[in-house]
């Protein structure tokens, strides 16, 4: 069992959380500090996600923040988990990530999602007449691959920089839809089990059974996003996790807030319905001391056989967040 953990790469999903009493500028400083620490602790990747019109998420200009993180680190892979491709033209994303790969060669990942990363009104503001662009997602992924190819040098529209660069493309999913696309194109598949675990096992089974090898990938590769709140004791971790619970209460009720400090008793904060709804979304959440985290992660890996784990940690205090990721790395190292 130890071998399974020690042989599995582990990574970070940074949702660029803005905490109560702080600003996005504070978030970006903390994100870079976290990235520098996790690089030293053996983490494999550091991904940021595109969201819009959310007061608690600062990574709306995802490519810019990726550049900030990559510029302040040396070896860790940095990328998007993900870029919401229907919000953009494939050419613009090819140019942006071509620029990032040119600045930080061999370190950039491009994860692509189909969802808007926001509410419908904001999606309309972003996409305008392209509001139904999600329907073009498979076609737009192929366009993006074409812009990165050396063959595109003969085209009248070229991505400079971008053309001829080896930038790994990932397909992101929170349901079974993207599993079919990732399998058909032979691309690695990252699943958002940190907030949408309901179809996780079904989706990765579809992906594995239908996978077709490609130039990028010879065999299926599944990355699972999970929530992790680790601390020196189970009791401390459970207290810290109340910030995560409050965040998901806001998602369930539609009343989003900045990340709140921990509380002593969640029963004073949410009702039974809100708790049940949040817990359904938080099924792939790991809370506890190092040994508790290690035991539960071993079971998770045995059950899912995923190739890589990516941890998101909504923790109010920055030092406690650093400690959580340090303990997670120790859990993987055994």
């Amino acid at each position: 069992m130890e071998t399974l953990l020690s042989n599995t790469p582990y990574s970070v999903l940074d949702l660029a959380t803005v905490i109560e009493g702080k600003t996005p500028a504070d978030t970006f400083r903390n994100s870079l500090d976290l990235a520098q620490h996790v690089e030293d602790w053996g983490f494999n990747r550091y991904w940021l996600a595109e969201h819009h019109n959310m007061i608690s998420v600062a990574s709306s200009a995802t490519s810019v923040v990726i550049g900030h993180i990559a510029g302040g680190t040396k070896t860790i892979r940095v990328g998007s988990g993900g870029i919401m491709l229907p919000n953009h033209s494939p050419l613009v994303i090819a140019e942006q990530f071509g620029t990032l790969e040119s600045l930080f060669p061999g370190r950039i990942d491009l994860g692509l999602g189909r969802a808007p990363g926001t509410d419908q009104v904001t999606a309309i503001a972003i996409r305008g007449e392209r509001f139904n662009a999600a329907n073009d997602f498979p076609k737009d992924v192929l366009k993006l691959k074409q812009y990165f190819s050396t063959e595109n040098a003969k085209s009248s529209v070229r991505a400079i920089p971008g053309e001829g660069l080896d930038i790994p493309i990932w397909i992101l999913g929170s349901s079974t839809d993207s599993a079919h696309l990732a399998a058909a194109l032979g691309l690695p598949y990252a699943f958002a089990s940190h907030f949408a675990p309901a179809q996780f096992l079904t989706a990765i089974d579809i992906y594995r059974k239908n996978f077709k090898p490609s130039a990028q990938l010879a065999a299926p590769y599944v990355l699972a996003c999970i929530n992790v709140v680790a601390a020196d004791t189970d009791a401390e971790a459970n207290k810290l996790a109340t910030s995560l619970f409050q965040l998901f209460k806001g998602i369930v009720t539609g009343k989003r807030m900045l990340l709140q400090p921990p509380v002593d008793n969640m029963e004073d904060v949410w009702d039974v319905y809100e708790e049940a709804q949040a817990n359904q979304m938080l099924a792939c959440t790991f809370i506890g001391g190092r040994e508790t985290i290690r035991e539960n992660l071993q079971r998770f890996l045995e059950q899912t056989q995923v190739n890589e784990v990516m941890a998101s940690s909504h923790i109010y205090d920055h030092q406690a967040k650093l400690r959580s990721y340090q303990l997670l790395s120790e859990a993987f190292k055994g």
Side-chain angles (χ1 to χ4, degrees):
M1 288 193 294
E2 294 290 336
T3 306
L4 194 56
L5 263 180
S6 59
N7 288 335
T8 301
Y10 49 97
S11 296
V12 175
L13 176 64
D14 181 5
L15 293 172
T17 309
V18 185
I19 66 173
E20 185 66 46
K22 301 292 184 180
T23 67
D26 298 312
T27 297
F28 298 142
R29 280 191 289 271
N30 286 342
S31 288
L32 182 56
D33 185 57
L34 174 62
Q36 290 167 341
H37 277 87
V38 298
E39 182 173 67
D40 290 339
W41 294 331
F43 283 75
N44 191 35
R45 308 174 202 277
Y46 194 104
W47 280 6
L48 295 127
E50 178 185 349
H51 292 87
H52 301 278
N53 198 29
M54 296 182 187
I55 61 170
S56 62
V57 183
S59 50
S60 54
T62 318
S63 300
V64 178
V65 188
I66 290 170
H68 172 62
I69 299 299
T73 52
K74 296 181 178 68
T75 57
I76 195 168
R77 297 194 66 88
V78 188
S80 60
I83 289 289
M84 300 300 122
L85 190 56
N87 293 346
H88 313 273
S89 79
L91 176 61
V92 168
I93 295 304
E95 292 170 339
Q96 289 179 2
F97 277 76
T99 300
L100 288 166
E101 175 64 22
S102 298
L103 288 167
F104 311 106
R107 294 181 55 207
I108 301 299
D109 294 327
L110 175 51
L112 300 171
R114 178 196 306 259
T118 189
D119 57 88
Q120 292 298 302
V121 175
T122 307
I124 292 170
I126 293 169
R127 297 177 182 176
E129 293 179 0
R130 296 181 65 253
F131 180 67
N132 292 317
N135 298 330
D136 297 328
F137 183 63
K139 184 172 66 177
D140 284 348
V141 172
L142 292 175
K143 276 187 187 175
L144 195 48
K145 286 171 63 69
Q146 179 66 28
Y147 286 132
F148 286 142
S149 71
T150 53
E151 293 79 14
N152 203 58
K154 298 174 183 175
S155 172
S156 57
V157 179
R158 300 168 66 186
I160 309 295
E163 188 177 289
L165 297 181
D166 182 18
I167 303 170
I169 292 177
W170 293 67
I171 299 296
L172 276 57
S174 58
S175 66
T176 56
D177 293 347
S178 293
H180 292 280
L181 179 63
L185 296 181
L187 296 176
Y189 185 47
F191 197 89
S193 34
H194 62 299
F195 75 88
Q199 297 186 65
F200 171 47
L201 294 177
T202 303
I204 62 176
D205 185 56
I206 289 170
Y207 168 69
R208 286 168 174 153
K209 286 180 176 174
N210 294 280
F211 181 85
K212 296 178 180 176
S214 68
Q216 181 175 331
L217 196 63
Y221 193 97
V222 175
L223 181 152
C225 293
I226 60 173
N227 298 294
V228 175
V229 180
D232 289 312
T233 66
D234 286 0
E236 184 187 353
N238 284 318
K239 172 77 177 284
L240 293 175
T242 59
S243 296
L244 171 68
F245 298 152
Q246 291 177 81
L247 184 77
F248 271 74
K249 179 200 171 181
I251 295 172
V252 167
T253 61
K255 299 174 182 176
R256 294 178 182 269
M257 301 182 293
L258 299 176
L259 188 67
Q260 299 296 301
V263 296
D264 290 326
N265 187 1
M266 276 302 294
E267 291 179 8
D268 298 331
V269 177
W270 60 13
D271 61 31
V272 175
Y273 169 78
E274 292 162 351
E275 179 181 6
Q277 289 286 99
N279 282 336
Q280 283 184 346
M281 299 175 73
L282 291 167
C284 293
T285 299
F286 300 82
I287 300 167
R290 182 176 55 202
E291 294 309 312
T292 300
I293 294 286
R294 178 184 288 149
E295 290 170 11
N296 290 335
L297 276 174
Q298 283 176 179
R299 280 197 292 270
F300 177 77
L301 290 174
E302 287 166 1
Q303 179 192 11
T304 64
Q305 297 293 309
V306 297
N307 302 93
E308 186 168 345
V309 169
M310 179 169 277
S312 172
S313 296
H314 292 285
I315 297 173
Y316 181 81
D317 178 76
H318 182 60
Q319 294 305 314
K321 187 172 186 174
L322 290 177
R323 181 62 176 154
S324 178
Y325 277 110
Q326 184 180 26
L327 290 167
L328 178 62
S329 73
E330 292 174 4
F332 272 94
K333 290 171 183 174

